[in-house]
Amino acid sequence: MSLSVFTQQLEPVADSLGLSALVACLPLVVVLVLLGVVRMKAHAAGLLGLLAAALVAWLAYGLPVGQTVSSAAEGAVFGLLPIMWIVVNALWVYRMTVRTRHFDILRRSFGRLSDDPRIQGLVIAFCFGALLEALAGFGAPVAICSVMLVALGFDPVRAAVVSLVANTAPVAFGAMATPVVTLAQVGGLPLDQVASVVGRQTPLLALVVPLVLVGLVDGRRGLRETWLPALVCGVAFAVVQFAASNYVSPQLADIGASLAGAGALVALPRSRRPAAEPVRAAVLTGARSEDMDQEDPRPEVLRAYAPYALIVVIFSVAQIPPVKDVFDKATQAIDWPFLNVAGPDGTPVSANVLSLPLVSTGGTLVLVAGLFTAVVLGVHARVAVREWAATVHELRYAILTVTSVLALAYVMNLSGQAATIGHFVAAAGAGLAFLSPVLGWFGVAVSGSDTSANALFGALQVSAAQQSGLPPDLLAAANSSGGVLGKMISPQNLTIACAAVGLRGREGDLLRKVLPWSLLLLLVMCLIVMAQSTVVLGWMLP
């Protein structure tokens, strides 16, 4: 017997859009209050939010229990593959470089590129941080870059602040473009279309952030003396991030941009000039790591860079049309069981079918790169497997968080809760374009994850755009682009930064230093999105 169709309702509560939207917001309120006020662990808050979403879907919207459970299961599966499949394998590659001490070699190599701490801040926090964001994300760039800067002699507070602010422009395409992949899936939009618009917003941040960083490192003198390297680095990063996200592959956007930014810095003669002693004395007030003067054999330096080169090569090969076509044939389209949902207009929703890209997904390609990395770095097969298992164990709570948030998002989307909120929010009219980045910023500030914020609000942004006559891909992209600016003030990232540099308990101090920059850059992004919704910058959209 075929499963009966569930048709979404926009006004299930007292035939009132306002009351229905109020009830539909309950799961989001539960998650945000538990995270931001109660300070509950993210995985626990996600599970309780999922429970709230399921109860609202069943009791208020009439989604049958079986279909409610099935929609949650579909979201959880998507959270595992491809989302966490990417993160686990990317972090596994990093763990192998740490185990073989090639990460230390890489750190010393960066330190030798320039003795100017302002250039070091750009190379490590902005460029290498972007590479780490591309490969792993989820707090790894802030922790690792902060430690590297302290090892070079940076004051711990300065190192943490620089790393937090730098972790902005690459976030939307972090963890092999996990946030935009999630955004496209929950919003029901083509990935290339969403990535293209995000790639016309975040590169504009990349033009500004390097200038902010040299100012944070050395104040007005830093801006006056190193504005040219900062600008060159930002332009190179922005151009490649735009080109890769629009014309190559969103998964390669941050990898290519980070390498281009670093390459531009190294190629600029001014970047390699010795820093004046007053600059070094004013900035490098901490204790320099004792191993920074250690000479590393050239073959070992090349092996330290090899994992990142392998990832670039493998992803590039995977984008060659004949290869891409072969990989795409392995994609499985599953008619999801016990799920038969139609939108308010009676049209079946796309989520009835789940697409699983088994080979072409970023996680599988990173896994292949990891296997080659193990060979290049001389990691025994047994050790590599043990490191992979340890990576899964390390990420167990992150896995639970992501799967629960994606399950929550799917329940809200399939029951009609997201559509109700979208119709209600659409009343903001033209002002919606200005406010849409704020929603993403708030979501990331609370959850610490652009992926989670996109899962929570992506469908809502698309629905609101459709009702207000604005381009759905613009507001969906704005959710992610605005979200990246909330990461530096999220409790998760502040805690990671403090723990990395030995400042436990001083999260409030860091918050006060980075909050003004978060708000200022958010305002810039809001103005960009608003202008892109009009003739002023509308020409920028694809």
Side-chain angles (χ1 to χ4, degrees), residues 400-415:
L400 186 55
T401 299
V402 170
T403 52
S404 63
V405 169
L406 263 297
L408 179 156
Y410 267 64
V411 170
M412 290 189 65
N413 296 346
L414 287 165
S415 65

Side-chain angles (χ1 to χ4, degrees), residues 425-477:
V425 172
L432 186 60
F434 181 84
L435 295 174
S436 58
V438 179
L439 192 59
W441 173 85
F442 182 70
V444 177
V446 173
S447 69
S449 166
D450 200 35
T451 299
S452 296
N454 286 344
L456 288 172
F457 302 129
L460 188 158
Q461 296 269 23
V462 170
S463 179
Q466 290 169 340
Q467 297 307 310
S468 62
L470 292 169
D473 52 359
L474 173 62
L475 295 202

Side-chain angles (χ1 to χ4, degrees), residues 152-488:
L152 291 173
F154 274 64
D155 171 74
V157 173
R158 197 192 308 259
V161 169
V162 168
S163 298
L164 284 165
V165 175
N167 191 217
T168 48
V171 169
F173 295 103
M176 295 299 170
T178 295
V180 294
V181 169
T182 304
L183 182 61
Q185 180 73 14
V186 300
L189 299 171
L191 173 59
D192 291 344
Q193 184 177 328
V194 174
S196 177
V197 180
V198 175
R200 295 160 194 252
Q201 294 172 345
T202 56
L204 299 177
L205 289 177
L207 298 175
V208 178
V209 170
L211 295 169
V212 173
L213 294 180
V214 295
L216 288 172
V217 172
D218 193 32
R220 293 182 180 178
R221 177 177 56 190
L223 272 173
R224 186 173 63 252
E225 296 181 359
T226 54
W227 67 269
L228 181 59
L231 187 60
V232 167
C233 175
V235 169
F237 187 102
V239 168
V240 174
Q241 190 183 58
F242 161 75
S245 60
N246 277 268
Y247 306 112
V248 184
S249 165
Q251 286 87 354
L252 288 175
D254 279 350
I255 294 177
S258 61
L259 296 176
L265 276 175
V266 172
L268 193 67
R270 182 178 295 189
S271 300
R272 298 193 299 274
R273 292 177 186 170
E277 192 54 40
V279 173
R280 294 181 55 80
V283 177
L284 302 181
T285 56
R288 190 167 182 265
S289 178
E290 294 180 358
D291 70 347
M292 285 306 302
D293 295 325
Q294 179 179 329
E295 289 293 330
D296 297 303
R298 186 173 180 79
E300 292 304 308
V301 174
L302 293 176
R303 290 174 74 190
Y305 282 92
Y308 310 103
L310 284 168
I311 289 175
V312 173
V313 170
I314 289 172
F315 269 84
S316 299
V317 170
Q319 299 307 312
I320 298 174
V323 177
K324 191 174 188 297
D325 291 342
V326 172
F327 285 177
D328 287 343
K329 289 179 181 177
T331 298
Q332 299 294 314
I334 301 174
D335 188 1
W336 196 256
F338 308 110
L339 196 63
N340 193 358
V341 177
D345 59 356
T347 305
V349 299
S350 60
N352 289 326
V353 177
L354 177 66
S355 179
L356 290 177
L358 302 178
V359 178
S360 59
T361 182
T364 301
L365 298 177
V366 176
L367 176 65
V368 173
L371 296 175
F372 281 109
T373 294
V375 174
V376 171
L377 299 185
V379 180
H380 191 277
R382 190 187 313 107
V383 176
V385 171
R386 194 159 55 237
E387 285 294 329
W388 192 90
T391 303
V392 174
H393 183 265
E394 179 183 340
L395 291 173
R396 62 192 184 281
Y397 292 120
I399 292 172
L400 186 55
T401 299
V402 170
T403 52
S404 63
V405 169
L406 263 297
L408 179 156
Y410 267 64
V411 170
M412 290 189 65
N413 296 346
L414 287 165
S415 65
Q417 295 172 60
T420 296
I421 300 172
H423 278 70
F424 183 76
V425 172
L432 186 60
F434 181 84
L435 295 174
S436 58
V438 179
L439 192 59
W441 173 85
F442 182 70
V444 177
V446 173
S447 69
S449 166
D450 200 35
T451 299
S452 296
N454 286 344
L456 288 172
F457 302 129
L460 188 158
Q461 296 269 23
V462 170
S463 179
Q466 290 169 340
Q467 297 307 310
S468 62
L470 292 169
D473 52 359
L474 173 62
L475 295 202
N479 193 82
S480 192
S481 299
V484 306
L485 301 169
K487 194 154 190 178
M488 70 177 81

